[in-house]
Amino acid sequence: MTDITSVNNSRVKDIAKLIRSAKSRRERNLFIAEGMRLVAEVPPERLEELYIEEGFLEKVKREDKYKDKILGLVERAEEKRQCYLVSSAVMEKMSDTDTPQGIMAVAAINKEQSVTDPDREGSKEQKRFYIIIDRLQDPGNMGTIIRTAEGAGVTGIIVSRDSADPYSPKVVRSAMGSLFRMDISVSDDLVEDIRRLRKNGVKICGTHLSGTEFYDEDFSGDIAFLIGNEGSGLSDEVSAEADTLLRIPMEGQVESLNAAVSAAVVMYEVLRQRKILG
């Protein structure tokens, strides 16, 4: 295990770039996972580098839940000669949180391949279900949608390039490990990806205040839902691609729901119909 004691070390600067810059993450195909719980979720084959604060491994050895996974990752990183022991000052310099948690991993982003590609669409027996995100800006909303999508059995997520980066530290923390298990692709042409899904037999539904009653719709087939920007909803260009626009009913004087809440309502209604109604 190599020691790093200087905050001016080149690797420390590289970590800072990966934390701050979506462009750097995209160019290097890497992102940061920080903290015992998140690092334990990193698939071993996607681990690139591991940074451990002095004394942290003693804490890991007393931890029942994550001990085996963390120690396994340490062993793998040492085999690759990519395991680094850092001082508390270095860890504080690298960390994106107010209170560094003592361990940080550099993980590989899955090779970007559109989730609409035929070999990413799953078995013919399982109905496809996609979430398509248009210009969503809040990292917390993005992470919550990714985490909820895993729980609801979503096939894949397509994110417009002008949305919050799904591999930013705040999204990674909010997604709580689901990021490693969900098929996610960042789209440079969202309209084209939507059209590609439709061509492959997927019905496109948009959440929209001017839409028809949400609970009257049948979601048992192959389907994709469009989720828009927090303030302005779907762009006109994207909403025009929807086969149907649907409105989530609301009581009282509420005009709209938070984007992540809307996505959760949509996803779990699809799951409910598929589990209960067949």
Side-chain angles (χ1 to χ4, degrees):
M1 195 178 295
T2 304
D3 289 354
I4 297 178
T5 58
S6 172
V7 295
N8 294 316
N9 186 281
S10 61
R11 290 190 178 276
V12 178
K13 295 177 181 179
D14 286 343
I15 294 293
K17 289 180 182 177
L18 288 174
I19 286 175
R20 293 194 310 263
S21 170
K23 180 180 178 182
S24 180
R25 291 189 290 270
R26 186 165 63 248
E27 289 176 347
R28 297 178 62 192
N29 205 48
L30 299 172
F31 70 103
I32 302 297
E34 185 176 356
M36 190 186 302
R37 180 175 180 177
L38 270 179
V39 171
E41 297 277 9
V42 177
E45 67 275 10
R46 292 175 64 181
L47 179 68
E48 295 295 322
E49 299 172 1
L50 195 60
Y51 295 84
I52 302 169
E53 187 175 342
E54 295 167 337
F56 183 79
L57 284 181
E58 294 306 312
K59 179 181 178 180
V60 170
K61 291 173 183 177
R62 298 192 298 270
E63 170 65 51
D64 291 334
K65 188 172 182 180
Y66 304 113
K67 178 175 67 175
D68 291 343
K69 288 184 177 180
I70 294 292
L71 294 180
L73 290 172
V74 170
E75 182 178 353
R76 184 178 181 89
E78 287 185 325
E79 288 174 356
K80 297 173 66 177
R81 298 185 178 180
Q82 297 291 340
C83 192
Y84 302 94
L85 187 66
V86 304
S87 66
S88 58
V90 169
M91 182 59 74
E92 186 174 353
K93 180 72 173 179
M94 292 193 301
S95 177
D96 184 57
T97 63
D98 293 333
T99 306
Q101 299 181 56
I103 188 167
M104 179 183 293
V106 179
I109 296 173
N110 269 349
K111 183 179 180 182
E112 283 206 359
Q113 176 187 18
S114 174
V115 298
T116 64
D117 286 350
D119 59 353
R120 294 284 289 275
E121 290 179 357
S123 68
K124 292 182 179 179
E125 292 77 16
Q126 184 177 6
K127 293 297 183 181
R128 294 166 291 172
F129 178 21
Y130 300 97
I131 293 295
I132 302 174
I133 297 174
D134 175 31
R135 302 175 302 127
L136 191 77
Q137 297 303 304
D138 183 76
N141 281 337
M142 181 70 76
T144 298
I145 289 172
I146 293 170
R147 186 182 180 199
T148 307
E150 182 186 11
V154 169
T155 307
I157 301 172
I158 304 172
V159 180
S160 68
R161 181 67 72 185
D162 52 359
S163 292
D165 178 17
Y167 296 98
S168 72
K170 288 182 180 179
V171 175
V172 174
R173 287 195 295 273
S174 182
M176 296 180 68
S178 294
L179 194 71
F180 296 112
R181 297 181 291 271
M182 286 300 301
D183 274 344
I184 301 170
S185 66
V186 179
S187 173
D188 290 312
D189 190 337
L190 202 61
V191 168
E192 181 58 33
D193 275 335
I194 293 169
R195 290 173 179 173
R196 187 175 187 180
L197 282 176
R198 182 186 294 107
K199 184 178 179 181
N200 285 309
V202 177
K203 183 177 181 179
I204 310 299
C205 297
T207 51
H208 202 284
L209 293 176
S210 64
T212 57
E213 178 67 39
F214 170 72
Y215 288 114
D216 291 340
E217 193 74 17
D218 178 3
F219 301 132
S220 58
D222 293 330
I223 197 165
F225 261 95
L226 309 173
I227 305 296
N229 176 270
E230 291 89 346
S232 57
L234 296 170
S235 66
D236 292 341
E237 183 183 27
V238 169
S239 63
E241 294 299 322
D243 296 312
T244 183
L245 294 174
L246 301 170
R247 175 179 52 84
I248 298 171
M250 285 170 281
E251 302 293 329
Q253 299 182 40
V254 176
E255 293 182 356
S256 64
L257 298 175
N258 169 277
V261 173
S262 295
V265 171
V266 163
M267 288 188 271
Y268 273 89
E269 173 59 15
V270 174
L271 181 64
R272 184 192 73 85
Q273 288 194 18
R274 292 182 176 184
K275 281 189 171 294
I276 297 177
L277 306 179

Short mmCIF file of all heavy atoms in Angstrom, two decimals, residues 211-274:
data_model
loop_
_atom_site.label_atom_id
_atom_site.label_comp_id
_atom_site.label_asym_id
_atom_site.label_seq_id
_atom_site.Cartn_x
_atom_site.Cartn_y
_atom_site.Cartn_z
N GLY A 211 -52.25 16.71 -19.30
CA GLY A 211 -52.52 15.35 -19.76
C GLY A 211 -53.85 14.81 -19.25
O GLY A 211 -54.58 15.45 -18.49
N THR A 212 -54.16 13.59 -19.68
CA THR A 212 -55.39 12.92 -19.24
C THR A 212 -55.13 12.19 -17.92
O THR A 212 -54.00 12.10 -17.45
CB THR A 212 -55.85 11.92 -20.31
OG1 THR A 212 -54.78 10.97 -20.57
CG2 THR A 212 -56.21 12.63 -21.60
N GLU A 213 -56.18 11.64 -17.33
CA GLU A 213 -56.11 11.00 -16.01
C GLU A 213 -55.10 9.85 -16.01
O GLU A 213 -55.22 8.89 -16.76
CB GLU A 213 -57.48 10.49 -15.60
CG GLU A 213 -57.52 9.76 -14.29
CD GLU A 213 -57.23 10.67 -13.10
OE1 GLU A 213 -57.70 11.83 -13.09
OE2 GLU A 213 -56.55 10.22 -12.17
N PHE A 214 -54.14 9.94 -15.13
CA PHE A 214 -53.03 8.98 -15.03
C PHE A 214 -53.52 7.56 -14.72
O PHE A 214 -53.08 6.58 -15.32
CB PHE A 214 -52.06 9.48 -13.96
CG PHE A 214 -50.99 8.51 -13.57
CD1 PHE A 214 -49.93 8.22 -14.42
CD2 PHE A 214 -51.01 7.91 -12.32
CE1 PHE A 214 -48.93 7.34 -14.05
CE2 PHE A 214 -50.01 7.04 -11.94
CZ PHE A 214 -48.97 6.75 -12.81
N TYR A 215 -54.46 7.44 -13.77
CA TYR A 215 -54.86 6.11 -13.30
C TYR A 215 -55.82 5.39 -14.25
O TYR A 215 -56.21 4.25 -13.99
CB TYR A 215 -55.47 6.22 -11.90
CG TYR A 215 -54.43 6.52 -10.85
CD1 TYR A 215 -54.44 7.73 -10.17
CD2 TYR A 215 -53.42 5.61 -10.56
CE1 TYR A 215 -53.47 8.03 -9.22
CE2 TYR A 215 -52.46 5.89 -9.61
CZ TYR A 215 -52.47 7.10 -8.94
OH TYR A 215 -51.51 7.39 -8.00
N ASP A 216 -56.20 6.04 -15.34
CA ASP A 216 -57.04 5.38 -16.34
C ASP A 216 -56.23 4.62 -17.38
O ASP A 216 -56.79 3.93 -18.23
CB ASP A 216 -57.92 6.42 -17.06
CG ASP A 216 -58.98 7.02 -16.15
OD1 ASP A 216 -59.28 6.38 -15.11
OD2 ASP A 216 -59.49 8.11 -16.46
N GLU A 217 -54.91 4.74 -17.32
CA GLU A 217 -54.04 4.19 -18.37
C GLU A 217 -53.59 2.77 -18.03
O GLU A 217 -53.38 2.42 -16.87
CB GLU A 217 -52.83 5.11 -18.54
CG GLU A 217 -52.01 4.84 -19.79
CD GLU A 217 -52.69 5.33 -21.06
OE1 GLU A 217 -53.63 6.14 -20.97
OE2 GLU A 217 -52.27 4.89 -22.14
N ASP A 218 -53.42 1.98 -19.08
CA ASP A 218 -52.91 0.61 -18.93
C ASP A 218 -51.39 0.64 -19.17
O ASP A 218 -50.92 1.01 -20.25
CB ASP A 218 -53.59 -0.29 -19.97
CG ASP A 218 -53.08 -1.73 -19.92
OD1 ASP A 218 -52.25 -2.05 -19.04
OD2 ASP A 218 -53.51 -2.54 -20.77
N PHE A 219 -50.63 0.23 -18.15
CA PHE A 219 -49.17 0.23 -18.24
C PHE A 219 -48.59 -1.18 -18.30
O PHE A 219 -47.43 -1.40 -17.94
CB PHE A 219 -48.57 0.96 -17.04
CG PHE A 219 -49.02 2.38 -16.90
CD1 PHE A 219 -49.47 2.85 -15.67
CD2 PHE A 219 -49.00 3.25 -17.97
CE1 PHE A 219 -49.89 4.17 -15.53
CE2 PHE A 219 -49.42 4.56 -17.84
CZ PHE A 219 -49.86 5.02 -16.62
N SER A 220 -49.37 -2.14 -18.74
CA SER A 220 -48.92 -3.53 -18.69
C SER A 220 -47.95 -3.88 -19.82
O SER A 220 -47.24 -4.88 -19.74
CB SER A 220 -50.12 -4.47 -18.75
OG SER A 220 -50.88 -4.25 -19.93
N GLY A 221 -47.88 -3.09 -20.87
CA GLY A 221 -46.99 -3.39 -21.99
C GLY A 221 -45.64 -2.73 -21.85
O GLY A 221 -45.26 -2.21 -20.80
N ASP A 222 -44.84 -2.79 -22.93
CA ASP A 222 -43.55 -2.10 -22.96
C ASP A 222 -43.79 -0.60 -22.93
O ASP A 222 -44.53 -0.06 -23.76
CB ASP A 222 -42.78 -2.49 -24.23
CG ASP A 222 -42.38 -3.95 -24.23
OD1 ASP A 222 -42.16 -4.52 -23.15
OD2 ASP A 222 -42.28 -4.53 -25.33
N ILE A 223 -43.13 0.09 -22.00
CA ILE A 223 -43.47 1.50 -21.78
C ILE A 223 -42.26 2.31 -21.36
O ILE A 223 -41.31 1.78 -20.77
CB ILE A 223 -44.59 1.58 -20.71
CG1 ILE A 223 -45.27 2.93 -20.73
CG2 ILE A 223 -44.06 1.24 -19.33
CD1 ILE A 223 -46.59 2.93 -19.98
N ALA A 224 -42.30 3.60 -21.68
CA ALA A 224 -41.28 4.54 -21.22
C ALA A 224 -41.98 5.79 -20.72
O ALA A 224 -42.95 6.25 -21.32
CB ALA A 224 -40.30 4.89 -22.35
N PHE A 225 -41.49 6.33 -19.61
CA PHE A 225 -42.05 7.55 -19.05
C PHE A 225 -41.04 8.69 -19.16
O PHE A 225 -39.87 8.53 -18.84
CB PHE A 225 -42.44 7.35 -17.59
CG PHE A 225 -43.90 7.10 -17.40
CD1 PHE A 225 -44.38 5.80 -17.32
CD2 PHE A 225 -44.80 8.15 -17.33
CE1 PHE A 225 -45.73 5.56 -17.14
CE2 PHE A 225 -46.15 7.92 -17.17
CZ PHE A 225 -46.63 6.63 -17.07
N LEU A 226 -41.54 9.85 -19.60
CA LEU A 226 -40.72 11.05 -19.71
C LEU A 226 -40.87 11.87 -18.44
O LEU A 226 -42.00 12.19 -18.04
CB LEU A 226 -41.17 11.89 -20.91
CG LEU A 226 -41.30 11.17 -22.26
CD1 LEU A 226 -41.90 12.10 -23.30
CD2 LEU A 226 -39.92 10.68 -22.73
N ILE A 227 -39.75 12.21 -17.81
CA ILE A 227 -39.74 13.02 -16.59
C ILE A 227 -38.99 14.31 -16.89
O ILE A 227 -37.84 14.28 -17.34
CB ILE A 227 -39.06 12.28 -15.41
CG1 ILE A 227 -39.71 10.91 -15.17
CG2 ILE A 227 -39.06 13.14 -14.16
CD1 ILE A 227 -41.15 10.98 -14.72
N GLY A 228 -39.63 15.45 -16.63
CA GLY A 228 -39.07 16.73 -17.04
C GLY A 228 -38.35 17.51 -15.96
O GLY A 228 -38.17 17.05 -14.83
N ASN A 229 -37.99 18.72 -16.32
CA ASN A 229 -37.29 19.66 -15.44
C ASN A 229 -38.16 20.04 -14.24
O ASN A 229 -39.38 20.12 -14.35
CB ASN A 229 -36.94 20.90 -16.27
CG ASN A 229 -36.31 21.99 -15.45
OD1 ASN A 229 -37.00 22.84 -14.91
ND2 ASN A 229 -35.00 21.97 -15.35
N GLU A 230 -37.50 20.30 -13.10
CA GLU A 230 -38.22 20.62 -11.87
C GLU A 230 -39.15 21.82 -12.02
O GLU A 230 -40.27 21.81 -11.49
CB GLU A 230 -37.22 20.92 -10.73
CG GLU A 230 -36.43 19.72 -10.26
CD GLU A 230 -35.15 19.51 -11.04
OE1 GLU A 230 -34.97 20.13 -12.11
OE2 GLU A 230 -34.32 18.72 -10.58
N GLY A 231 -38.71 22.85 -12.72
CA GLY A 231 -39.51 24.07 -12.81
C GLY A 231 -40.40 24.14 -14.03
O GLY A 231 -41.56 24.56 -13.95
N SER A 232 -39.89 23.69 -15.17
CA SER A 232 -40.62 23.88 -16.43
C SER A 232 -41.14 22.59 -17.05
O SER A 232 -41.75 22.61 -18.12
CB SER A 232 -39.71 24.60 -17.44
OG SER A 232 -38.51 23.87 -17.65
N GLY A 233 -40.91 21.47 -16.41
CA GLY A 233 -41.42 20.21 -16.94
C GLY A 233 -40.68 19.77 -18.20
O GLY A 233 -39.50 20.07 -18.39
N LEU A 234 -41.41 19.08 -19.05
CA LEU A 234 -40.82 18.58 -20.30
C LEU A 234 -40.67 19.72 -21.31
O LEU A 234 -41.53 20.60 -21.39
CB LEU A 234 -41.70 17.49 -20.91
CG LEU A 234 -41.86 16.20 -20.11
CD1 LEU A 234 -42.95 15.33 -20.74
CD2 LEU A 234 -40.55 15.43 -20.04
N SER A 235 -39.61 19.67 -22.09
CA SER A 235 -39.48 20.63 -23.18
C SER A 235 -40.54 20.32 -24.24
O SER A 235 -41.03 19.19 -24.33
CB SER A 235 -38.09 20.54 -23.81
OG SER A 235 -37.90 19.29 -24.44
N ASP A 236 -40.91 21.32 -25.02
CA ASP A 236 -41.91 21.12 -26.08
C ASP A 236 -41.45 20.04 -27.06
O ASP A 236 -42.25 19.22 -27.53
CB ASP A 236 -42.16 22.43 -26.82
CG ASP A 236 -42.87 23.47 -25.94
OD1 ASP A 236 -43.47 23.07 -24.93
OD2 ASP A 236 -42.79 24.66 -26.28
N GLU A 237 -40.16 20.05 -27.35
CA GLU A 237 -39.61 19.09 -28.31
C GLU A 237 -39.75 17.66 -27.82
O GLU A 237 -40.12 16.75 -28.57
CB GLU A 237 -38.12 19.41 -28.57
CG GLU A 237 -37.46 18.51 -29.60
CD GLU A 237 -35.99 18.81 -29.76
OE1 GLU A 237 -35.36 19.30 -28.79
OE2 GLU A 237 -35.46 18.56 -30.85
N VAL A 238 -39.50 17.46 -26.53
CA VAL A 238 -39.58 16.11 -25.97
C VAL A 238 -41.03 15.70 -25.75
O VAL A 238 -41.43 14.57 -26.08
CB VAL A 238 -38.77 16.02 -24.65
CG1 VAL A 238 -39.06 14.71 -23.91
CG2 VAL A 238 -37.28 16.13 -24.94
N SER A 239 -41.86 16.59 -25.21
CA SER A 239 -43.26 16.22 -24.96
C SER A 239 -43.99 15.91 -26.27
O SER A 239 -44.93 15.10 -26.29
CB SER A 239 -43.98 17.33 -24.20
OG SER A 239 -44.02 18.52 -24.94
N ALA A 240 -43.55 16.52 -27.37
CA ALA A 240 -44.17 16.25 -28.68
C ALA A 240 -43.94 14.81 -29.12
O ALA A 240 -44.66 14.30 -29.99
CB ALA A 240 -43.62 17.22 -29.72
N GLU A 241 -42.95 14.15 -28.55
CA GLU A 241 -42.66 12.76 -28.91
C GLU A 241 -43.51 11.75 -28.15
O GLU A 241 -43.47 10.55 -28.44
CB GLU A 241 -41.17 12.46 -28.66
CG GLU A 241 -40.21 13.25 -29.55
CD GLU A 241 -40.40 12.94 -31.02
OE1 GLU A 241 -40.66 11.77 -31.36
OE2 GLU A 241 -40.32 13.88 -31.83
N ALA A 242 -44.25 12.20 -27.15
CA ALA A 242 -45.05 11.28 -26.34
C ALA A 242 -46.25 10.76 -27.12
O ALA A 242 -46.91 11.50 -27.85
CB ALA A 242 -45.52 11.98 -25.07
N ASP A 243 -46.53 9.48 -26.98
CA ASP A 243 -47.74 8.90 -27.56
C ASP A 243 -48.96 9.36 -26.76
O ASP A 243 -50.07 9.45 -27.30
CB ASP A 243 -47.66 7.38 -27.54
CG ASP A 243 -46.54 6.86 -28.41
OD1 ASP A 243 -46.44 7.31 -29.57
OD2 ASP A 243 -45.75 6.02 -27.94
N THR A 244 -48.76 9.60 -25.46
CA THR A 244 -49.84 10.08 -24.61
C THR A 244 -49.25 10.91 -23.48
O THR A 244 -48.15 10.62 -22.99
CB THR A 244 -50.67 8.92 -24.04
OG1 THR A 244 -51.76 9.43 -23.28
CG2 THR A 244 -49.84 8.01 -23.16
N LEU A 245 -49.97 11.97 -23.09
CA LEU A 245 -49.57 12.80 -21.96
C LEU A 245 -50.52 12.52 -20.80
O LEU A 245 -51.75 12.49 -20.98
CB LEU A 245 -49.61 14.28 -22.33
CG LEU A 245 -48.59 14.74 -23.39
CD1 LEU A 245 -48.84 16.19 -23.77
CD2 LEU A 245 -47.16 14.56 -22.88
N LEU A 246 -49.96 12.31 -19.62
CA LEU A 246 -50.75 11.90 -18.47
C LEU A 246 -50.52 12.83 -17.28
O LEU A 246 -49.41 13.31 -17.07
CB LEU A 246 -50.38 10.46 -18.07
CG LEU A 246 -50.59 9.41 -19.17
CD1 LEU A 246 -49.98 8.09 -18.74
CD2 LEU A 246 -52.07 9.24 -19.47
N ARG A 247 -51.58 13.06 -16.53
CA ARG A 247 -51.53 13.94 -15.37
C ARG A 247 -51.79 13.13 -14.10
O ARG A 247 -52.76 12.39 -14.01
CB ARG A 247 -52.58 15.04 -15.51
CG ARG A 247 -52.73 15.96 -14.31
CD ARG A 247 -53.79 17.02 -14.58
NE ARG A 247 -55.05 16.42 -15.02
CZ ARG A 247 -55.97 15.93 -14.21
NH1 ARG A 247 -55.77 15.94 -12.91
NH2 ARG A 247 -57.08 15.42 -14.70
N ILE A 248 -50.91 13.29 -13.11
CA ILE A 248 -51.13 12.67 -11.81
C ILE A 248 -52.17 13.49 -11.06
O ILE A 248 -51.99 14.70 -10.87
CB ILE A 248 -49.82 12.61 -11.00
CG1 ILE A 248 -48.77 11.76 -11.73
CG2 ILE A 248 -50.07 12.06 -9.60
CD1 ILE A 248 -47.39 11.82 -11.11
N PRO A 249 -53.28 12.89 -10.64
CA PRO A 249 -54.33 13.67 -9.97
C PRO A 249 -53.87 14.19 -8.61
O PRO A 249 -53.12 13.52 -7.90
CB PRO A 249 -55.48 12.66 -9.82
CG PRO A 249 -54.81 11.33 -9.83
CD PRO A 249 -53.63 11.47 -10.75
N MET A 250 -54.32 15.40 -8.27
CA MET A 250 -53.94 16.01 -7.00
C MET A 250 -55.14 16.69 -6.37
O MET A 250 -55.95 17.30 -7.07
CB MET A 250 -52.80 17.02 -7.22
CG MET A 250 -51.45 16.35 -7.44
SD MET A 250 -50.18 17.50 -7.99
CE MET A 250 -50.61 17.65 -9.73
N GLU A 251 -55.24 16.59 -5.05
CA GLU A 251 -56.30 17.25 -4.31
C GLU A 251 -55.81 18.59 -3.77
O GLU A 251 -54.62 18.92 -3.87
CB GLU A 251 -56.78 16.34 -3.17
CG GLU A 251 -57.27 14.97 -3.61
CD GLU A 251 -58.55 15.05 -4.43
OE1 GLU A 251 -59.35 15.98 -4.17
OE2 GLU A 251 -58.75 14.18 -5.30
N GLY A 252 -56.71 19.34 -3.17
CA GLY A 252 -56.32 20.60 -2.57
C GLY A 252 -55.89 21.62 -3.61
O GLY A 252 -56.36 21.62 -4.74
N GLN A 253 -54.95 22.49 -3.22
CA GLN A 253 -54.50 23.55 -4.10
C GLN A 253 -53.12 23.28 -4.68
O GLN A 253 -52.50 24.18 -5.27
CB GLN A 253 -54.49 24.88 -3.32
CG GLN A 253 -55.86 25.28 -2.81
CD GLN A 253 -55.84 26.61 -2.08
OE1 GLN A 253 -55.16 27.54 -2.50
NE2 GLN A 253 -56.59 26.69 -0.99
N VAL A 254 -52.63 22.05 -4.55
CA VAL A 254 -51.32 21.68 -5.08
C VAL A 254 -51.39 21.65 -6.61
O VAL A 254 -52.28 21.03 -7.19
CB VAL A 254 -50.88 20.31 -4.55
CG1 VAL A 254 -49.56 19.87 -5.18
CG2 VAL A 254 -50.74 20.36 -3.03
N GLU A 255 -50.45 22.32 -7.26
CA GLU A 255 -50.43 22.36 -8.72
C GLU A 255 -49.53 21.29 -9.33
O GLU A 255 -49.79 20.82 -10.43
CB GLU A 255 -49.99 23.75 -9.19
CG GLU A 255 -50.98 24.85 -8.86
CD GLU A 255 -50.53 26.20 -9.39
OE1 GLU A 255 -49.43 26.28 -9.95
OE2 GLU A 255 -51.30 27.17 -9.25
N SER A 256 -48.46 20.95 -8.63
CA SER A 256 -47.52 19.97 -9.17
C SER A 256 -46.74 19.32 -8.04
O SER A 256 -46.73 19.82 -6.90
CB SER A 256 -46.54 20.63 -10.15
OG SER A 256 -45.74 21.59 -9.48
N LEU A 257 -46.09 18.20 -8.36
CA LEU A 257 -45.28 17.47 -7.39
C LEU A 257 -43.80 17.62 -7.73
O LEU A 257 -43.44 17.91 -8.87
CB LEU A 257 -45.65 15.99 -7.40
CG LEU A 257 -47.09 15.63 -7.00
CD1 LEU A 257 -47.31 14.13 -7.20
CD2 LEU A 257 -47.38 16.02 -5.57
N ASN A 258 -42.96 17.41 -6.73
CA ASN A 258 -41.53 17.32 -6.95
C ASN A 258 -41.24 16.27 -8.03
O ASN A 258 -41.92 15.25 -8.11
CB ASN A 258 -40.86 16.95 -5.62
CG ASN A 258 -39.42 16.57 -5.75
OD1 ASN A 258 -39.11 15.43 -6.07
ND2 ASN A 258 -38.53 17.51 -5.49
N ALA A 259 -40.22 16.52 -8.86
CA ALA A 259 -39.93 15.62 -9.99
C ALA A 259 -39.66 14.19 -9.53
O ALA A 259 -40.14 13.23 -10.16
CB ALA A 259 -38.74 16.16 -10.79
N ALA A 260 -38.90 14.03 -8.45
CA ALA A 260 -38.60 12.68 -7.97
C ALA A 260 -39.84 12.00 -7.41
O ALA A 260 -40.02 10.79 -7.56
CB ALA A 260 -37.49 12.74 -6.92
N VAL A 261 -40.70 12.78 -6.75
CA VAL A 261 -41.96 12.23 -6.23
C VAL A 261 -42.85 11.79 -7.38
O VAL A 261 -43.45 10.70 -7.36
CB VAL A 261 -42.67 13.25 -5.33
CG1 VAL A 261 -44.06 12.74 -4.94
CG2 VAL A 261 -41.86 13.54 -4.08
N SER A 262 -42.97 12.63 -8.40
CA SER A 262 -43.77 12.27 -9.58
C SER A 262 -43.26 10.99 -10.22
O SER A 262 -44.04 10.10 -10.58
CB SER A 262 -43.73 13.41 -10.61
OG SER A 262 -44.35 14.56 -10.13
N ALA A 263 -41.93 10.90 -10.35
CA ALA A 263 -41.34 9.70 -10.94
C ALA A 263 -41.65 8.47 -10.10
O ALA A 263 -41.95 7.39 -10.63
CB ALA A 263 -39.83 9.89 -11.10
N ALA A 264 -41.60 8.63 -8.77
CA ALA A 264 -41.89 7.49 -7.89
C ALA A 264 -43.34 7.03 -8.02
O ALA A 264 -43.62 5.83 -8.07
CB ALA A 264 -41.59 7.87 -6.44
N VAL A 265 -44.28 7.99 -8.09
CA VAL A 265 -45.70 7.64 -8.28
C VAL A 265 -45.88 6.85 -9.56
O VAL A 265 -46.56 5.81 -9.60
CB VAL A 265 -46.56 8.92 -8.30
CG1 VAL A 265 -47.99 8.59 -8.72
CG2 VAL A 265 -46.56 9.60 -6.94
N VAL A 266 -45.26 7.33 -10.63
CA VAL A 266 -45.35 6.68 -11.94
C VAL A 266 -44.77 5.27 -11.87
O VAL A 266 -45.40 4.29 -12.31
CB VAL A 266 -44.58 7.51 -12.99
CG1 VAL A 266 -44.30 6.69 -14.23
CG2 VAL A 266 -45.37 8.77 -13.34
N MET A 267 -43.57 5.15 -11.35
CA MET A 267 -42.87 3.86 -11.35
C MET A 267 -43.62 2.80 -10.54
O MET A 267 -43.74 1.65 -10.96
CB MET A 267 -41.44 4.03 -10.83
CG MET A 267 -40.53 4.75 -11.82
SD MET A 267 -38.78 4.77 -11.31
CE MET A 267 -38.72 6.26 -10.33
N TYR A 268 -44.15 3.21 -9.41
CA TYR A 268 -44.80 2.21 -8.57
C TYR A 268 -46.22 1.89 -9.04
O TYR A 268 -46.74 0.81 -8.73
CB TYR A 268 -44.75 2.62 -7.09
CG TYR A 268 -43.46 2.11 -6.49
CD1 TYR A 268 -42.31 2.87 -6.53
CD2 TYR A 268 -43.38 0.82 -5.97
CE1 TYR A 268 -41.12 2.39 -6.04
CE2 TYR A 268 -42.20 0.32 -5.47
CZ TYR A 268 -41.06 1.11 -5.51
OH TYR A 268 -39.87 0.60 -5.05
N GLU A 269 -46.85 2.77 -9.80
CA GLU A 269 -48.12 2.41 -10.42
C GLU A 269 -47.88 1.37 -11.52
O GLU A 269 -48.65 0.41 -11.67
CB GLU A 269 -48.82 3.64 -11.00
CG GLU A 269 -50.08 3.33 -11.81
CD GLU A 269 -51.17 2.59 -11.03
OE1 GLU A 269 -51.10 2.55 -9.78
OE2 GLU A 269 -52.09 2.06 -11.68
N VAL A 270 -46.80 1.54 -12.28
CA VAL A 270 -46.45 0.54 -13.30
C VAL A 270 -46.16 -0.80 -12.62
O VAL A 270 -46.66 -1.85 -13.05
CB VAL A 270 -45.23 0.99 -14.13
CG1 VAL A 270 -44.78 -0.12 -15.09
CG2 VAL A 270 -45.56 2.26 -14.92
N LEU A 271 -45.39 -0.77 -11.54
CA LEU A 271 -45.07 -2.00 -10.81
C LEU A 271 -46.34 -2.64 -10.25
O LEU A 271 -46.53 -3.86 -10.33
CB LEU A 271 -44.08 -1.70 -9.69
CG LEU A 271 -43.64 -2.90 -8.84
CD1 LEU A 271 -42.87 -3.91 -9.68
CD2 LEU A 271 -42.77 -2.43 -7.66
N ARG A 272 -47.24 -1.82 -9.70
CA ARG A 272 -48.48 -2.34 -9.13
C ARG A 272 -49.31 -3.06 -10.20
O ARG A 272 -49.79 -4.18 -9.98
CB ARG A 272 -49.30 -1.20 -8.53
CG ARG A 272 -50.59 -1.65 -7.84
CD ARG A 272 -51.49 -0.48 -7.53
NE ARG A 272 -52.12 0.05 -8.74
CZ ARG A 272 -53.24 -0.43 -9.28
NH1 ARG A 272 -53.84 -1.49 -8.73
NH2 ARG A 272 -53.75 0.11 -10.36
N GLN A 273 -49.46 -2.40 -11.36
CA GLN A 273 -50.26 -3.01 -12.42
C GLN A 273 -49.65 -4.32 -12.88
O GLN A 273 -50.37 -5.29 -13.13
CB GLN A 273 -50.39 -2.04 -13.59
CG GLN A 273 -51.29 -0.87 -13.32
CD GLN A 273 -51.69 -0.11 -14.58
OE1 GLN A 273 -51.58 -0.63 -15.69
NE2 GLN A 273 -52.15 1.11 -14.41
N ARG A 274 -48.35 -4.36 -12.97
CA ARG A 274 -47.71 -5.58 -13.49
C ARG A 274 -47.74 -6.72 -12.47
O ARG A 274 -47.83 -7.89 -12.85
CB ARG A 274 -46.28 -5.26 -13.92
CG ARG A 274 -46.26 -4.35 -15.14
CD ARG A 274 -44.88 -4.04 -15.63
NE ARG A 274 -44.96 -3.25 -16.86
CZ ARG A 274 -43.92 -2.89 -17.58
NH1 ARG A 274 -42.70 -3.23 -17.18
NH2 ARG A 274 -44.08 -2.19 -18.69
#
